[in-house]
Amino acid sequence: MSNLYFLISGLFCIVLNLVLFFSKERVDTKETKIYGYMLISSFLDVLLVIAEISICYHNFSEDTFLLLTILNKIDLIHYIVWPSLLFLYVYYITYKENIKGYLSIKNKVILTGILSAFIEIFLPIKLISQDGVMGITGYAPSFVYIVALLYILGIMAILLKNLKKIFSRKYAPLLVLCVLIVVAAIVRAVNPTLIIIPSALVYIDLIMFHTIENPDVKLIEELNLARERADRANRAKTEFLSNMSHEIRTPLNAIVGFSNSLLDDVENEKARDDAKYIINASENLLEIVNGILDISKIEANKIEIVNKNYNMEEVLDNLVALSKARLGDKPIEFRTNFSEDMPKYMYGDSSRIKQICVNLLTNSIKYTKEGYIEFKIDSVIKGDVCRLILSVEDTGIGIKEEDIDKLFEKFGRLDLEKNISIEGSGLGLAITKKLVEMMGGKIVVQSEYGKGSKFTVALDQSIVDAPEIKEEFDISTIVKHEYPGKKLLVVDDNKLNLKVAEKVLEPFQVIVETANGGDEGIEKIKNAEYDLILLDDMMPGKTGVETLKELKSTMETFKTPTIALTANAISGMREKYLVDGFDDYLAKPIEKDELKRILGKYLQDR
Ligand code: ADP
């Protein structure tokens, strides 16, 4: 009777396990399906054995002998099915995919199972009864135990082959389960009337459910994996975008450089117009590429906020001049309204503040046909902190209420029927928002569709009283743009870039020498005197930063002003290069005015 109690508690367990397993949302993997079959197989076997015991207990006679034999043979088939399922289960969680071959592992296991069951049916079985308790002996059970044992050995072989993973959450329970099966089989072999295996398998199913096959845990695992995969794909995409942007800037450098020199050299009016169109289109393309570079760096957490003392008046003058230039002859009144008590000198990242304002002002100019644009700054001072409330208000096309939420998403261009002719990448506001947040600020937007919009940014900056600000070189002090006799060295790994540099430097009448890569650059610098060095940073082999470091460490007399030249031109790069030991920084494509500034600053005799 104790067998029956065992089995009834087993039945209770397996029913609970079945309900829990099948009522939950499951991950659709091969091993989970197999586990489902294992549960069903265990459930049917427990029912079968309960029936066997009941029949045996009430009527073990000639009449029931055939029926009991058949039931026992089916029971034995379960001892082939269940271990083979466990074998497949372990195989799938270990190898995920089938070993290549004529038959898949699943088919091999099914075939072996059918063959073993077939053999088992024809092998003799002996039923024994002791005090109303039935046991079996003979070739049939012995054969089945051997087959089952082979599967268990197979499982152990897989587990031991993957010993490294064995202590993971997945494998450790399986190893314990194998031992449990063997113990159950030994007990049964020693005492054939102790019907322990069906219940043992049920408990093993239950342990598996609570360790490795819990649908909730598997779902979370699967979600984590999916998130990891998505993150990886996103990182790869960001890296790709950033590399592509860099690659695009190199040929763009050639396009802008040669178009500019065409503009200088060619008399023909039409050709000059064409050159202007090329430059204009390149500048638009450059803006898009810069946006992609910026957003990808922000997303990869590669952008830092570089705080230093700055002159707010200078920043604002710059912004106003730039906005007026961008407005051109559009019938728009440009209003400024800067708070009187705003401190002149502050401590913060002025280049990011500039970038934020430029983005907002450029948008207002782009999306406004007529009316006004007001650039306003209020300041609230508390102790030595000044809260800047910057706003840009326009009478432009406005933004639909339902679009406001999408405004700060990257690549989110809105109202395309109206905006189709306005160039943009949909990155400006995404970058702006991220930068504002990186500086601990907030950005909000108010807009009425068809009437206009107002973007407001609140940011805290520290106030500095008597700042030590290195005065910027004033471009207006340049008296001439020709420097005959001055010797320049341009170091770049790209031959086309070297040609462009020679071309853009031509009007300045300097002597230009070129070096192909860092090593050649070092060689030349060691053997000749130069007045200025333009050193590309991103070079294979030795980067610009490495080249400069080597120069400084190996040549004590090295004092030549060195300018970092790079296509990796996101804002904030200048500060980075200054920290790296460069004297200044020039972005590719080289802008004429920037080049004038650099040459004036370092070549003009003062
Ligand atoms: P871009 O201007 O390059 O398309 P942004 O991220 O700067 O990208 O802006 C996203 C979208 O928000 C724009 O495409 C435009 O539809 C809308 N938008 C931004 N600023 C304004 C504005 N001042 N007035 C109207 N719509 C605007």
Side-chain angles (χ1 to χ4, degrees):
M1 233 15 221
S2 58
N3 275 335
L4 201 58
Y5 297 144
F6 248 145
L7 284 162
I8 286 172
S9 84
L11 182 66
F12 178 74
C13 258
I14 191 76
V15 169
L16 193 75
N17 207 344
L18 275 169
V19 172
L20 280 176
F21 182 76
F22 285 103
S23 62
K24 285 197 186 259
E25 195 179 326
R26 291 176 307 280
V27 181
D28 190 24
T29 58
K30 284 180 187 164
E31 72 262 21
T32 302
K33 271 191 199 137
I34 289 174
Y35 179 72
Y37 297 142
M38 285 165 75
L39 287 182
I40 295 168
S41 164
S42 298
F43 170 68
L44 293 177
D45 188 53
V46 171
L47 285 183
L48 187 97
V49 179
I50 289 175
E52 268 174 25
I53 293 176
S54 309
I55 294 168
C56 180
Y57 186 71
H58 293 293
N59 186 11
F60 185 73
S61 63
E62 286 288 315
D63 305 340
T64 53
F65 187 79
L66 184 65
L67 178 65
L68 283 172
T69 308
I70 294 170
L71 289 180
N72 269 300
K73 291 245 167 184
I74 299 173
D75 180 30
L76 285 177
I77 290 175
H78 170 70
Y79 298 155
I80 297 172
V81 172
W82 196 93
S84 63
L85 285 173
L86 185 64
F87 174 82
L88 263 186
Y89 180 92
V90 175
Y91 183 89
Y92 282 140
I93 62 167
T94 310
Y95 299 113
K96 295 285 172 209
E97 281 176 27
N98 287 331
I99 289 175
K100 287 188 180 59
Y102 182 65
L103 273 178
S104 69
I105 186 79
K106 185 173 122 198
N107 290 342
K108 275 183 195 148
V109 170
I110 291 174
L111 260 180
T112 322
I114 292 173
L115 199 69
S116 314
F118 194 71
I119 295 171
E120 182 266 335
I121 288 170
F122 292 101
L123 286 175
I125 185 170
K126 206 170 154 207
L127 305 188
I128 45 169
S129 172
Q130 277 176 3
D131 313 325
V133 179
M134 186 196 62
I136 46 171
T137 55
Y139 288 118
S142 304
F143 172 73
V144 166
Y145 295 150
I146 290 168
V147 174
L149 189 69
L150 287 177
Y151 277 120
I152 303 298
L153 289 177
I155 294 168
M156 287 193 157
I158 294 177
L159 294 179
L160 293 176
K161 232 176 128 184
N162 295 278
L163 212 57
K164 267 192 211 145
K165 303 184 203 162
I166 214 112
F167 297 106
S168 75
R169 205 181 58 78
K170 250 185 193 170
Y171 286 82
L174 282 172
L175 202 64
V176 175
L177 298 183
C178 285
V179 175
L180 226 121
I181 296 169
V182 175
V183 170
I186 293 171
V187 171
R188 171 76 192 247
V190 171
N191 185 353
T193 57
L194 201 57
I195 302 176
I196 189 174
I197 294 182
S199 318
L201 299 189
V202 163
Y203 294 121
I204 288 170
D205 288 336
L206 196 70
I207 295 171
M208 278 175 80
F209 181 83
H210 286 289
T211 50
I212 45 181
E213 249 327 303
N214 188 318
D216 292 342
V217 177
K218 286 205 93 178
L219 211 60
I220 292 168
E221 258 174 24
E222 205 67 15
L223 288 176
N224 281 342
L225 262 177
R227 202 195 54 209
E228 231 170 73
R229 251 178 262 136
D231 282 352
R232 222 178 303 133
N234 199 25
R235 273 200 299 278
K237 186 201 70 195
T238 306
E239 214 157 280
F240 168 77
L241 276 179
S242 152
N243 288 342
M244 280 315 288
S245 309
H246 180 261
E247 294 306 314
I248 291 168
R249 287 183 73 98
T250 306
L252 212 55
N253 182 35
I255 296 171
V256 174
F258 287 116
S259 309
N260 266 319
S261 80
L262 268 184
L263 208 57
D264 291 338
D265 297 348
V266 175
E267 297 283 304
N268 181 317
E269 212 35 56
K270 188 163 177 315
R272 288 171 59 84
D273 276 348
D274 289 350
K276 274 186 204 155
Y277 290 134
I278 295 173
I279 294 169
N280 204 353
S282 310
E283 274 165 4
N284 284 335
L285 182 56
L286 193 62
E287 213 161 281
I288 295 170
V289 168
N290 282 348
I292 294 176
L293 260 173
D294 260 348
I295 197 90
S296 47
K297 298 265 163 169
I298 289 175
E299 288 188 346
N301 285 331
K302 281 191 187 157
I303 278 199
E304 280 172 32
I305 299 295
V306 185
N307 293 327
K308 58 180 177 128
N309 292 343
Y310 67 94
N311 181 338
M312 188 62 172
E313 261 175 27
E314 235 170 52
V315 172
L316 294 179
D317 285 350
N318 234 309
L319 285 168
V320 172
L322 190 113
S323 305
K324 284 189 175 158
R326 289 213 168 157
L327 264 174
D329 47 13
K330 264 189 165 184
I332 299 170
E333 183 193 345
F334 188 72
R335 300 178 189 165
T336 53
N337 182 355
F338 302 143
S339 146
E340 292 283 318
D341 49 3
M342 181 168 53
K344 186 173 170 187
Y345 297 108
M346 279 184 260
Y347 176 80
D349 192 336
S350 59
S351 72
R352 300 288 174 212
I353 293 188
K354 239 192 235 173
Q355 195 181 354
I356 291 165
C357 294
V358 167
N359 282 349
L360 297 181
L361 288 163
T362 311
N363 274 351
S364 282
I365 296 165
K366 275 202 302 197
Y367 299 108
T368 307
K369 275 205 185 94
E370 55 189 11
Y372 69 86
I373 291 172
E374 180 169 301
F375 181 27
K376 186 174 171 194
I377 304 186
D378 280 323
S379 57
V380 183
I381 297 171
K382 241 189 200 169
D384 59 355
V385 173
C386 171
R387 173 155 297 177
L388 292 173
I389 299 153
L390 309 130
S391 68
V392 178
E393 185 179 348
D394 63 48
T395 51
I397 57 171
I399 301 152
K400 289 181 188 159
E401 210 179 323
E402 66 265 27
D403 283 343
I404 297 258
D405 286 344
K406 295 179 231 153
L407 207 57
F408 297 105
E409 283 171 15
K410 58 181 176 179
F411 303 111
R413 301 217 63 212
L414 316 171
D415 206 5
L416 276 177
E417 321 90 76
K418 266 195 178 179
N419 288 348
I420 197 82
S421 61
I422 304 173
E423 295 193 29
S425 58
L427 287 172
L429 286 179
I431 294 169
T432 305
K433 184 163 193 261
K434 296 230 160 147
L435 288 178
V436 171
E437 283 168 357
M438 279 172 82
M439 291 200 272
K442 272 212 159 71
I443 179 164
V444 287
V445 55
Q446 296 154 283
S447 186
E448 199 173 327
Y449 189 55
K451 291 218 165 129
S453 325
K454 183 175 177 181
F455 287 82
T456 309
V457 172
L459 276 178
D460 285 348
Q461 298 282 281
S462 308
I463 305 167
V464 281
D465 293 330
E468 277 177 30
I469 299 178
K470 221 171 87 194
E471 283 306 320
E472 279 291 311
F473 174 74
D474 188 356
I475 194 164
S476 63
T477 61
I478 304 176
V479 285
K480 55 174 191 171
H481 293 299
E482 280 143 25
Y483 310 96
K486 297 282 181 192
K487 210 166 151 196
L488 254 81
L489 178 71
V490 186
V491 187
D492 201 313
D493 63 293
N494 185 310
K495 290 219 169 82
L496 189 62
N497 278 341
L498 289 175
K499 277 232 164 325
V500 178
E502 281 178 310
K503 198 81 194 162
V504 295
L505 285 166
E506 217 173 70
F508 300 96
Q509 297 187 10
V510 286
I511 305 163
V512 181
E513 282 194 16
T514 58
N516 202 344
D519 287 326
E520 198 181 317
I522 294 172
E523 193 64 29
K524 288 207 161 180
I525 293 163
K526 283 189 173 164
N527 294 314
E529 284 262 318
Y530 294 99
D531 295 295
L532 188 66
I533 299 165
L534 302 184
L535 179 55
D536 182 42
D537 183 24
M538 288 183 120
M539 294 187 287
K542 223 168 243 148
T543 66
V545 175
E546 285 162 359
T547 307
L548 184 66
K549 256 195 197 139
E550 190 172 325
L551 280 170
K552 290 196 169 178
S553 63
T554 56
M555 283 175 70
E556 270 179 30
T557 52
F558 182 76
K559 290 267 175 324
T560 321
T562 308
I563 314 298
L565 200 60
T566 181
N568 194 359
I570 51 167
S571 37
M573 273 326 232
R574 186 161 181 266
E575 284 71 19
K576 175 202 167 296
Y577 283 116
L578 293 189
V579 171
D580 285 335
F582 285 90
D583 294 274
D584 220 315
Y585 151 89
L586 197 55
K588 280 195 264 183
I590 299 169
E591 271 182 36
K592 231 174 160 184
D593 280 346
E594 263 303 284
L595 185 62
K596 271 187 196 164
R597 183 183 72 80
I598 298 274
L599 295 183
K601 187 171 173 184
Y602 296 98
L603 296 184
Q604 186 167 268
D605 300 315
R606 277 174 283 164

